[in-house]
Amino acid sequence: MTMRKPGRAAVAAVTAMAAALSLSGCLSTVDPTDGGDPCWAMAEPSSSAAKATTGATHAILIDRSGSTVAEDTADFVPDWARSLRLRVPVGSGDRYLIAPFAGERFLSWPDQALVAPPIRGTATKQNELKQAVTDCIEHSVRETALKKGVSRRTDVLGALHAAGEQLAAERGGAKDIYVATDGYASEGCARLKIGRELSDDDITRIVDGCRAELPRNLRGVPVHIVGIGTSSSKMREASPAAIASVGRLWEALCRQMTETCSVRTGGTTDDAAGPSPQAAPRTSRPERERNT
């Protein structure tokens, strides 16, 4: 078994910004540089801005299964927060529902969605607000953890089905799903062995065998998948060709669920550039994106 070099992507520092914005009527005034709330810029759940929002709803699913975590802090684990950063859109009143998943067919949704404030003012102020929302999402993704007792196995299709149910219950506005996962399901029809390279015939066989298990509640909901092929360093390392084939599989599965899909594969050792705090800097392999 090939083991990867240890490491963990560094936690990004929260950008310092002035808290006394003209939108203070719906924003917290905690200064993030003083160790305050990293989501200081988000609209308060009880505010009129949050209740009246007609922004988009973004469901963000985070793979916390056994192949993406490690007990030893010196081991590399995928940095899903960094994989998603700058890919999840920010708009006035947008709602963000962030939930971890593993091997059970449900998602532990937060009690309250994160709600972006109105994005107004000068171009500089708007950029500051968007940056603050992005920082909050990144922090929240890093803090997302499974409840005790949840299986560490992996069921990506089950998580997508649960997300479709949740989005159906959300009020109007555009809706989409972002999934950060290595793509190696250990439950259900899409079970995969890490490191295996799939042929076109393999992909066709798996897709045909999954038809009865595919979520039927995602039609019209764009699905974006990032990190395919990037597992923790305790797992067997997959070749670039094997990772590319898993990406093609998830493209094919996604096309059976909804009309708009994007699938981004990760590198064989890391899906985010930059040094880790436990190890020397290393070069990441670039991700490749396919849109259908």
Side-chain angles (χ1 to χ4, degrees):
M1 179 180 291
T2 302
M3 300 300 292
R4 289 172 235 176
K5 295 181 180 180
R8 185 188 293 269
V11 176
V14 177
T15 304
M17 297 180 201
L21 295 170
S22 64
L23 299 172
S24 59
C26 62
L27 304 182
S28 168
T29 57
V30 176
D31 186 346
T33 63
D34 291 336
D37 183 2
C39 290
W40 61 275
M42 306 303 272
E44 296 290 344
S46 59
S47 71
S48 59
K51 291 180 178 179
T53 180
T54 57
T57 299
H58 311 286
I60 303 174
L61 314 184
I62 306 301
D63 188 342
R64 297 297 190 200
S65 62
S67 62
T68 67
V69 298
E71 297 297 328
D72 189 338
T73 57
D75 288 336
F76 164 77
V77 294
D79 187 348
W80 297 140
R82 199 163 181 186
S83 298
L84 289 164
R85 185 177 179 86
L86 303 182
R87 296 197 177 101
V88 179
V90 175
S92 292
D94 280 6
R95 294 160 50 82
Y96 303 90
L97 294 165
I98 302 173
F101 74 90
E104 298 185 15
R105 199 180 176 88
F106 70 92
L107 292 169
S108 180
W109 298 103
D111 294 334
Q112 298 282 353
L114 295 169
V115 182
I119 309 298
R120 303 177 190 151
T122 65
T124 298
K125 183 175 289 186
Q126 290 185 38
N127 288 335
E128 287 177 345
L129 285 170
K130 289 179 179 180
Q131 179 71 43
V133 171
T134 298
D135 288 343
C136 172
I137 294 168
E138 183 172 357
H139 168 81
S140 300
V141 166
R142 286 203 168 93
E143 293 298 306
T144 298
L146 290 173
K147 291 184 177 180
K148 290 183 178 180
V150 174
S151 166
R152 285 290 190 182
R153 297 178 68 79
T154 317
D155 187 353
V156 182
L157 292 177
L160 283 166
H161 177 83
E165 288 187 334
Q166 178 67 30
L167 288 178
E170 293 292 319
R171 56 182 179 267
K175 300 170 184 178
D176 54 29
I177 299 174
Y178 289 80
V179 188
T181 180
D182 62 0
Y184 294 115
S186 58
E187 290 186 353
C189 61
R191 291 189 302 274
L192 292 176
K193 182 178 180 182
I194 292 179
R196 178 186 174 192
E197 182 176 347
L198 301 172
S199 67
D200 290 343
D201 287 343
D202 291 330
I203 292 172
T204 299
R205 175 180 53 78
I206 293 171
V207 172
D208 288 344
C210 281
R211 293 192 188 280
E213 291 185 35
L214 291 174
R216 301 298 178 187
N217 54 8
L218 299 179
R219 285 295 171 192
V221 178
V223 174
H224 311 273
I225 305 175
V226 303
I228 292 293
T230 305
S231 304
S232 75
S233 59
K234 69 180 183 179
M235 308 305 295
R236 178 182 179 183
E237 184 173 349
S239 69
I243 290 174
S245 72
V246 178
R248 292 196 301 274
L249 170 64
W250 281 104
E251 284 183 302
L253 289 169
C254 188
R255 286 198 301 269
Q256 297 297 314
M257 294 182 277
T258 190
E259 297 83 358
T260 303
C261 302
S262 68
V263 177
R264 181 179 288 269
T265 58
T268 57
T269 57
D270 200 348
D271 64 334
S276 70
Q278 286 88 16
R282 59 182 170 181
T283 302
S284 301
R285 292 177 174 85
E287 294 179 328
R288 296 189 297 173
E289 185 172 16
R290 303 179 179 88
N291 294 292
T292 62

